[in-house]
């Protein structure tokens, strides 16, 4: 049944993609070019090749394709998905402008506005034998031209199609380009102060650099890791928390890209918990590898830091391997008079954190929606999409993450590394 359900979902997604591509082709190619022209042929070829690249890029990693092939497919395939989203939104936003522009142009030309939805229909010549006989007074003068019925002017409709389509193309591609620049530029630093009732005065001002969703893979590689490491080290944190989704691939393919993590520096070290993508990429291997790089994996475990307990739980995706989150192991026997900070990749485990008396949960996973309006979709499955919120006596902080999954594009959800400064209410 699960296989059938997945097949139906995949078929529905592919059908939707086909409809969207058909719409984009019609507005950007079919309406703006002439049949048989080079532009029409090139646009039609692109309408088939680009979605094919996107589908192949999405499945190549899961099917074990050679990593160089994954890299070659990823850039055009993933970028087209983002471009398709914003081209579609821009074209839809331009739909109301089409009839308004046509009416404006018709008035300026001194003609009655064409009816809504009118198509460009050339006027049919009237056969000579059906014309009324010309009056005698008109003999020897030119016959009046046949007047076509009021209809759409093909040149006017072509002008409107090109104007609206061109504006939509510029808006959609510019949005995609700006979002790509934001990812490749690297994350910016955010600073948040979080008061904790049980934090002693000795730990007041303790700074945790929270990093999540780095997503090393066929697009984001070693240079991306180095930018993140440099940014974290510049903040001079007391502790570094890497909260899952470090990679999208195997240690064999991405081990060199992760090597700069060995240069992370903080007074109390760097700690790591798994995200759901680690379980798609060989979680056990990655846990061993980050340990070799000097990070401390917290696999349903806890350590005592000066003034509070730092705990970490495996991601819920590990349940399929019998390695899911175990709050009892991580928090069950601790001293409840001490403050507790929990590293957990997905915000959805906040109820368990509240039940176990956690003061602050640090999470990622949502990317803040990554591609607007994806934030509205993320809200459907996450209690908090980004930022700091309170749940009972527990506070939850969700970072937007330092990388991107799929398209290396962010719109309306800039990447970040957050320095969380703990504040004692006893200070």
């Amino acid at each position: 049944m699960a296989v059938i359900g997945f097949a139906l979902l995949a078929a529905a997604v592919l059908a939707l993609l086909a409809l969207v591509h058909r719409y984009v082709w019609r507005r950007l190619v079919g309406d703006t070019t002439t049949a048989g022209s080079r532009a029409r042929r090139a646009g039609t070829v692109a309408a088939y090749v680009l979605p094919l690249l996107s589908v192949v890029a999405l499945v190549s990693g899961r099917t074990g394709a050679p990593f160089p092939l994954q890299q070659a497919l990823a850039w055009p395939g993933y970028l087209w998905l983002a471009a398709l989203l914003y081209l579609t939104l821009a074209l839809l936003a331009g739909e109301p402008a089409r009839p308004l522009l046509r009416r404006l142009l018709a008035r300026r030309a001194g003609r009655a506005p064409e009816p809504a939805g009118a198509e460009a229909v050339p006027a049919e010549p009237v056969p000579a034998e059906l014309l009324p006989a010309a009056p005698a007074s008109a003999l020897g003068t030119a016959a009046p031209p046949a007047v076509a019925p009021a209809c759409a002017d093909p040149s006017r409709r072509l002008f409107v199609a090109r104007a609206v389509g061109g504006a939509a193309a510029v808006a959609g591609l510019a949005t995609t380009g700006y979002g790509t620049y934001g990812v490749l530029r690297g994350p910016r630093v955010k600073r948040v102060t979080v008061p904790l009732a049980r934090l002693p005065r000795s730990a007041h001002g303790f700074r945790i650099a929270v990093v999540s969703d780095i997503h090393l893979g066929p697009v984001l590689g070693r240079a991306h890791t180095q930018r993140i490491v440099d940014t974290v080290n510049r903040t001079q944190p007391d502790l570094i928390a890497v909260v899952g989704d470090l990679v999208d691939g195997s240690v064999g393919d991405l081990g060199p890209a992760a090597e700069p993590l060995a240069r992370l520096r903080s007074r109390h070290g760097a700690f790591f918990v798994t995200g759901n993508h680690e379980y798609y990429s060989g979680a056990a291997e990655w846990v061993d590898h980050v340990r070799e790089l000097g990070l401390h994996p917290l696999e349903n475990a806890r350590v005592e830091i000066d003034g509070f307990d730092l705990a970490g739980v495996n991601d819920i995706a590990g349940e399929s391997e019998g390695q899911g989150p175990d709050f009892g192991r991580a928090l069950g026997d601790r001293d409840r008079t001490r403050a507790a900070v929990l590293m957990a990749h997905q915000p959805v485990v906040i109820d368990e954190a509240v039940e176990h008396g956690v003061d602050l949960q640090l999470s990622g996973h949502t990317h803040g929606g990554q591609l607007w309006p994806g934030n509205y979709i993320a809200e459907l499955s996450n209690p908090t999409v980004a930022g700091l919120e309170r749940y009972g006596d527990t506070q939850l902080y969700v970072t937007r993450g330092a990388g991107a999954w799929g398209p290396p594009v962010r719109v309306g959800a800039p990447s970040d590394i957050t320095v969380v400064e703990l504040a004692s209410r006893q200070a």
Side-chain angles (χ1 to χ4, degrees):
M1 291 297 292
V3 174
I4 295 174
F6 178 79
L8 291 174
L9 177 61
V13 170
L14 289 174
L16 177 61
L17 281 174
L19 289 172
V20 171
H21 277 90
R22 172 65 182 174
Y23 169 72
V24 171
W25 175 90
R26 179 188 171 192
R27 286 308 194 200
L28 292 184
V29 180
D31 289 352
T32 62
T33 61
T34 57
S37 66
R38 289 183 180 180
R40 172 74 64 90
R41 288 196 295 268
T44 302
V45 169
Y48 283 97
V49 172
L50 290 172
L52 181 61
L53 282 174
S54 297
V55 172
V56 175
L58 287 169
V59 303
S60 62
R62 302 293 179 89
T63 57
F67 193 64
L69 178 61
Q70 294 182 41
Q71 291 176 304
L73 294 169
W75 274 103
Y78 288 148
L79 277 177
W80 172 244
L81 289 176
L84 177 66
L85 170 63
Y86 292 111
L87 286 172
T88 303
L89 292 176
L91 287 168
L92 290 172
E95 290 295 341
R98 294 175 183 272
L100 295 177
L101 280 174
R102 288 198 297 267
R103 291 185 180 185
L104 176 62
L105 292 173
R107 288 196 183 97
R108 293 187 65 179
R111 295 181 56 178
E114 62 189 68
E119 298 296 332
V121 181
E124 294 291 340
V126 181
E129 61 270 18
L130 299 182
L131 289 173
S137 60
L139 291 177
T141 63
V147 179
C151 63
D153 184 339
S155 62
R156 187 164 66 244
R157 290 183 63 81
L158 183 61
F159 173 81
V160 170
R162 288 177 174 175
V164 176
V170 169
L173 296 178
T175 300
T176 304
Y178 181 77
T180 304
Y181 167 75
V183 171
L184 299 183
R185 175 195 60 195
R188 291 296 185 251
V189 175
K190 289 183 61 179
R191 297 182 184 274
V192 176
T193 299
V194 183
L196 301 182
R198 289 181 286 191
L199 190 74
R201 276 183 283 182
S202 60
H204 180 76
F206 192 99
R207 289 169 297 116
I208 304 174
V210 183
V211 190
S212 184
D213 301 281
I214 295 173
H215 284 290
L216 299 179
V219 172
L220 300 175
R222 187 185 181 97
H224 177 61
T225 313
Q226 189 62 59
R227 282 191 295 270
I228 291 170
V229 169
D230 292 343
T231 302
V232 170
N233 287 345
R234 281 196 295 269
T235 68
Q236 298 182 321
D238 297 304
L239 183 146
I240 300 166
V242 182
V243 198
D245 277 8
L246 171 64
V247 291
D248 285 303
S250 67
V251 172
D253 289 334
L254 295 173
E259 285 177 359
L261 294 174
R263 294 190 283 276
L264 286 170
R265 296 290 179 265
S266 70
R267 188 157 57 98
H268 290 275
F271 294 84
F272 170 80
V273 293
T274 55
N276 53 307
H277 281 247
E278 271 72 61
Y279 292 95
Y280 311 146
S281 309
E285 278 190 292
W286 274 111
V287 167
D288 291 340
H289 191 64
V290 298
R291 186 180 285 112
E292 292 171 0
L293 294 174
L295 282 73
H296 307 289
L298 290 177
E299 299 182 274
N300 298 321
R302 179 179 77 253
V303 295
E304 290 188 2
I305 307 295
D306 293 343
F308 65 95
D309 293 336
L310 178 70
V313 291
N314 296 344
D315 187 71
I316 56 179
E319 292 173 350
S320 61
E321 302 178 10
Q323 298 293 328
D326 189 333
F327 285 82
R329 280 179 54 195
L331 295 161
D333 59 349
R334 73 179 190 85
D335 180 358
R336 290 287 188 110
T337 64
R338 289 172 56 85
V341 176
L342 173 69
M343 296 169 57
H345 178 64
Q346 298 196 42
V348 294
V349 300
I350 184 62
D351 291 336
E352 291 275 5
V354 172
E355 183 179 334
H356 285 83
V358 168
D359 296 85
L360 172 64
Q361 176 179 318
L362 303 173
S363 296
H365 182 64
T366 67
H367 297 208
Q370 185 168 326
L371 296 170
W372 183 93
N375 54 305
Y376 299 112
I377 299 173
E379 287 175 357
L380 300 178
S381 56
N382 294 280
T384 297
V385 173
L388 182 67
E389 290 188 356
R390 176 176 289 277
Y391 295 84
D393 293 329
T394 301
Q395 296 180 80
L396 169 64
Y397 181 77
V398 181
T399 172
R400 292 188 178 98
W405 180 79
V409 182
R410 281 178 171 265
V411 176
S415 57
D416 70 67
I417 292 166
T418 304
V419 177
V420 174
E421 183 172 328
L422 306 181
S424 172
R425 289 179 175 170
Q426 304 171 25

